[in-house]
Amino acid sequence: MNIRELCLFFLGLAWTAQAIAQQGCPYPSSVKYIEDAFQAGSARSLWKSPKMKTQDFIDRFVGAIFVPSDGQERKSGYLEKCIYLTNRGRPVTLRYGMEEEVLNMSLVDTTYWQPAIDLFGLNIYVCDDRQPDNCSFTVDESRR
């Protein structure tokens, strides 16, 4: 393998690693009610709701909220929650990662994330597109 091929190999490897870290909210069909909570994903990238007593199923995706670490900076912060409605109109929020773990995330540059101010006057970003993939973000894998 020559230097050029080696460079292309590592460039492709880096691109693949970045693509794996980019994520969006789970699709409603992938969210299941397991052990008194709604869940989606795997042990490595688990999405989970608080415990709930319901036998509903997730009907549709509503949107997501991102909290930046500093002002309106898109490069650092965390995805607060993905929001869904059940078939009976009950709201369900899913959070990414384990409860005791706060991961550094950044927003993917899309027009779907819009700056907003929450009820407490804090800067947030809101994605209210009905396609979960459009509410994309990137997990900083180096901080895991």
Side-chain angles (χ1 to χ4, degrees), residues 63-80:
I65 297 173
F66 178 85
V67 179
S69 296
D70 187 26
Q72 289 189 326
E73 181 62 45
R74 296 171 59 103
K75 295 179 183 176
S76 180
Y78 64 94
L79 187 76
E80 173 61 28

Side-chain angles (χ1 to χ4, degrees), residues 1-16:
M1 198 184 279
N2 65 31
I3 294 292
R4 183 172 180 260
E5 290 172 335
L6 190 60
C7 288
L8 287 174
F9 171 76
F10 284 116
L11 182 63
L13 190 61
W15 181 82
T16 302

